[in-house]
Amino acid sequence: MPIRVLDATVAAQIAAGEVIERPASVVRELVENALDAGARRIAVEARGGGLREIRVQDDGCGIPADEVELAFARHATSKLTTADDLWAISTLGFRGEALPSIAAVAQVICITRAVGADVGVELRIAGGEVQAIMPRGCSPGTTISVRNLFYNTPVRREFLRSDATESAAITAVVTQYALAYPEVRFNLAIDGRATLHTSGNGDLRAAAIEVYGLDVARQLLPVEASTGEGVEYVHVSGLVSPPGLTRSSRAAIHLFVNRRAIQPRGQIAIVLEEAYHTLLMKGRHPVAILNISVHPAAVDVNVHPTKSEVKFRDTTRVMSTLGRAVRSALLESGVRPWDDPGVPATLETAQRRFELRRLGTSHESGWEAFPRMTADDSPAMPTQVNAWADDGHSAWQREPVTSPDPLPPTRASRLPPLRIIGQIAQSYIVAESADGMYLIDQHAAHERITYERLMAQRGAGAVERQELLMPQVVDLPPTAHDLLLTAADRLAEWGFVVEPFGRSLRVRAIPATLYPGDLTTALLEIADHLSGRGGATPHDWREAMLITLSCHTSVRAGQTLSFEEMRGLVMQLEQCESPRTCPHGRPTMILLTTTQIERQFGRIK
């Protein structure tokens, strides 16, 4: 096969494939151009997941009429002059590839007016070919409409995900830059519905409120640190969450270098999370909005086709400053470490997948859901009777305290008979058996019980739900809000009934065992799983829902239990298929054998 030079159209489409991966890539490039143009207001609108139309309007400096057509030529840019400029880039864009790449795979309308010009200009391009150019009356700034994205490369469309997922990716891009540039006013509309609106007053916490709500934003801790001068200058600023505020994925970690959004992965993400060492549970991630400012010559932003990664000249200095800044913010807030060795992720995943395989054969095995126990048949677990108690905490029914007799196993128990001794630290149940003394983590144990009960309910059909007397309105980040609404039917199978309520979510029903006070946290975790971060297969989805609901419907550490409640919990744990670990793989109990105790007292050697 002879070697030949590719046709210009084919070459343009190949180049576009490197820059424009999906509709969100178009939004990112156009928003970055608007910011480089000095815009103070940016409005973004997307329809049909961004495939039907993307429209970005700004009030920046605009493009002179005699340069508009040139702006869509490949490698045409106003931000670089010589090769040396590549090593001191201070703008978000610089390659001159964004506009021609977009125009090569879409129908584009560019309306722009330069500051000081009397009239604007309108340029129409389709498939990289100029269709028309004409004078146009408009305000200073630029408006670019991108329609029918990938219309001339239909194979690319087949590799995209659903409209809801693509819209969520667009929302994530705009959210990133709204947090990076709090002094710019951002407006985002998805299919005609307002999704995000920031004030542009320059306050990062105010922007965080628009994205995560007041309850989250007011907990965030300020971070500020700097070191060095000149080309060695490093400055870290932003907000991070205290250890008590976490997420199940890195979706809430927003990292910027010279206010350029980068992916929360690699060494920067590792250093950030290492600053929380011994402060976070394994598998949990902080909320963070951090900008690392360095001298333009000290960072290479031209190392990735989509500019989502960077390379530092002095990586050690940058990482050291970042780690110290975050750790100092945490410790100055009064946080102190605690020791948590954790469990290898491979063990957690293997165990959960093994249990989920049983879910598909629950009918054949004859495994039934555990009945709700009452005082008439066996000791009862705490039962929520008023989720809206006056003190803001759940109210639990209490059974009369009775003598802690041994609990006889009722069916093939995987634990020995246990006799309840009491409770310590309002978190651990002390019990004894012929083997010795057991310390049972009440939260982990109840997680296991709830997890297996939910598995049985889901295997038999939909999860039991409770209608809320007063529907609960929940404020969520725009991305989570859209994902949950799109998956309303799937959520109904798990006991949730959700509907839109302005920019919030109204919840009319929840799983019967879920405490309403944990609703927001549970929905955020579910949204993370819907975005595909926890895996995209049906088994991944079921696993994620089981884990999330079992965690947020269980007895908490720090809650005093009566003897009857402890006896009920232990009896139900004895009947579990895997009573010795919680769904996350952590142990539900530890055993101190009689021999170990006697050795500590010096009775044996």
Side-chain angles (χ1 to χ4, degrees):
M1 185 176 292
I3 298 174
R4 61 183 182 275
V5 177
L6 289 174
D7 177 83
T9 302
V10 176
Q13 291 182 1
I14 292 174
E18 296 179 354
V19 179
I20 308 302
E21 300 174 327
R22 61 195 304 188
S25 304
V26 174
V27 174
R28 183 187 65 246
E29 298 290 352
L30 295 182
V31 167
E32 289 183 353
N33 281 349
L35 292 169
D36 285 342
R40 304 294 294 183
R41 295 187 179 186
I42 300 176
V44 181
E45 183 175 1
R47 298 182 182 275
L51 290 174
R52 189 191 316 163
E53 183 178 15
I54 293 171
R55 184 170 179 268
V56 177
Q57 181 178 15
D58 67 66
D59 63 350
C61 64
I63 305 173
D66 58 348
E67 297 180 3
V68 172
E69 193 170 344
L70 181 61
F72 284 85
R74 189 159 302 280
H75 305 306
T77 180
S78 61
K79 302 163 186 176
L80 291 178
T81 303
T82 67
D84 290 340
D85 294 338
L86 281 171
W87 309 109
I89 295 173
S90 58
T91 56
L92 297 174
F94 56 89
R95 292 174 178 160
E97 292 181 330
L99 291 180
S101 294
I102 295 170
V105 291
Q107 298 165 342
V108 178
I109 301 175
C110 175
I111 300 172
T112 184
R113 175 183 159 195
V115 173
D118 295 329
V119 67
V121 63
E122 177 179 328
L123 174 68
R124 292 175 176 260
I125 300 180
E129 299 293 331
V130 175
Q131 306 295 308
I133 184 168
M134 64 198 79
R136 170 71 181 264
C138 60
S139 301
T142 303
T143 300
I144 295 183
S145 297
V146 179
R147 299 173 180 172
N148 300 318
L149 184 63
F150 302 133
Y151 80 99
N152 54 353
T153 54
V155 176
R156 293 290 302 277
R157 289 193 171 213
E158 296 177 6
F159 287 88
L160 298 177
R161 302 181 68 176
S162 66
D163 286 357
T165 302
E166 297 300 333
S167 294
I170 291 171
T171 302
V173 169
V174 179
T175 296
Q176 284 277 71
Y177 281 110
L179 294 172
Y181 290 81
E183 75 277 15
V184 177
R185 183 174 180 175
F186 281 87
N187 288 281
L188 172 65
I190 301 292
D191 292 321
R193 177 172 51 82
T195 302
L196 178 68
H197 172 80
T198 62
S199 63
N201 64 2
D203 185 353
L204 177 57
R205 196 178 298 272
I209 290 173
E210 295 292 340
V211 176
Y212 290 108
L214 179 60
D215 288 343
V216 171
R218 66 184 176 187
Q219 296 182 60
L220 300 180
L221 308 173
V223 175
E224 192 84 27
S226 60
T227 183
E229 295 181 355
V231 75
E232 296 182 347
Y233 174 75
V234 180
H235 179 256
V236 178
S237 62
L239 301 169
V240 296
S241 64
L245 177 62
T246 64
R247 295 289 185 265
S248 59
S249 75
R250 288 177 172 172
I253 296 179
H254 306 274
L255 299 177
F256 310 96
V257 174
N258 290 346
R259 303 219 282 183
R260 178 190 304 277
I262 62 173
Q263 293 292 331
R265 61 190 180 205
Q267 192 172 359
I268 292 183
I270 292 172
V271 170
L272 166 62
E273 294 186 338
E274 187 63 24
Y276 283 81
H277 181 61
T278 74
L279 298 176
L280 290 183
M281 292 284 290
K282 183 175 178 61
R284 305 298 297 181
H285 304 273
V287 177
I289 308 167
L290 292 172
N291 179 58
I292 303 173
S293 297
V294 297
H295 191 282
V299 60
D300 184 0
V301 300
N302 193 30
V303 298
H304 194 274
T306 61
K307 299 174 288 185
S308 60
E309 297 178 6
V310 299
K311 189 173 184 179
F312 296 103
R313 173 177 292 183
D314 190 348
T315 302
T316 301
R317 176 186 291 273
V318 173
M319 298 306 159
S320 176
T321 305
L322 172 64
R324 287 200 308 269
V326 175
R327 189 69 174 183
S328 296
L330 293 171
L331 296 182
E332 289 171 5
S333 70
V335 177
R336 289 296 177 265
W338 59 279
D339 195 12
D340 174 37
V343 176
T346 53
L347 295 183
E348 299 178 17
T349 302
Q351 175 186 311
R352 293 201 297 268
R353 291 191 181 280
F354 169 77
E355 292 165 346
L356 280 165
R357 284 198 295 270
R358 294 204 313 269
L359 178 60
T361 59
S362 59
H363 292 297
E364 292 78 5
S365 66
W367 184 48
E368 298 178 355
F370 298 120
R372 190 177 295 277
M373 298 184 180
T374 65
D376 296 332
D377 45 24
S378 59
M381 273 298 296
T383 304
Q384 285 177 290
V385 295
N386 177 17
W388 305 98
D390 292 339
D391 62 356
H393 300 286
S394 59
W396 302 96
Q397 285 183 334
R398 301 288 187 183
E399 299 292 337
V401 176
T402 60
S403 59
D405 299 326
L407 298 174
T410 59
R411 70 160 186 163
S413 175
R414 287 163 172 77
L415 296 176
L418 298 174
R419 184 172 73 89
I420 303 301
I421 302 299
Q423 182 188 34
I424 59 174
Q426 296 179 309
S427 300
Y428 304 99
I429 298 171
V430 184
E432 72 167 343
S433 73
D435 302 327
M437 180 178 70
Y438 282 82
L439 286 178
I440 302 171
D441 183 328
Q442 64 192 40
H443 175 68
H446 199 198
E447 269 192 307
R448 165 56 59 185
I449 294 165
T450 307
Y451 178 80
E452 295 197 3
R453 179 183 293 124
L454 287 170
M455 282 183 69
Q457 289 182 6
R458 190 67 187 91
V463 171
E464 181 183 352
R465 73 171 54 159
Q466 62 171 326
E467 301 289 335
L468 297 179
L469 184 62
M470 295 178 60
Q472 191 164 341
V473 176
V474 181
D475 293 323
L476 298 170
T479 303
H481 176 276
D482 294 345
L483 286 170
L484 291 168
L485 279 182
T486 304
D489 292 340
R490 296 170 68 186
L491 292 176
E493 297 175 357
W494 292 91
F496 292 95
V497 176
V498 299
E499 60 186 29
F501 188 74
R503 293 172 61 191
S504 303
L505 203 67
R506 180 160 55 195
V507 183
R508 293 191 174 275
I510 60 177
T513 54
L514 180 64
Y515 170 46
D518 280 352
L519 179 58
T520 300
T521 304
L523 289 176
L524 285 170
E525 291 186 13
I526 292 170
D528 277 341
H529 298 307
L530 284 169
S531 68
R533 295 186 179 93
T537 69
H539 280 291
D540 292 332
W541 165 246
R542 285 202 299 271
E543 174 187 356
M545 290 299 295
L546 288 168
I547 295 294
T548 298
L549 293 181
S550 62
C551 181
H552 292 288
T553 61
S554 299
V555 171
R556 296 308 180 105
Q559 181 178 328
T560 302
L561 301 180
S562 70
F563 272 113
E564 286 300 308
E565 291 165 345
M566 289 186 281
R567 292 176 72 241
L569 188 149
V570 172
M571 173 168 278
Q572 292 180 77
L573 182 64
E574 286 180 328
Q575 303 309 303
C576 288
E577 295 288 328
S578 303
R580 295 185 181 273
T581 59
C582 79
H584 302 90
R586 295 189 295 270
T588 58
M589 64 188 72
I590 59 173
L591 167 64
L592 293 177
T593 65
T594 303
T595 301
Q596 289 174 318
I597 295 173
E598 290 180 342
R599 182 176 290 115
Q600 291 298 319
F601 282 100
R603 294 188 178 183
I604 60 173
K605 295 183 180 179

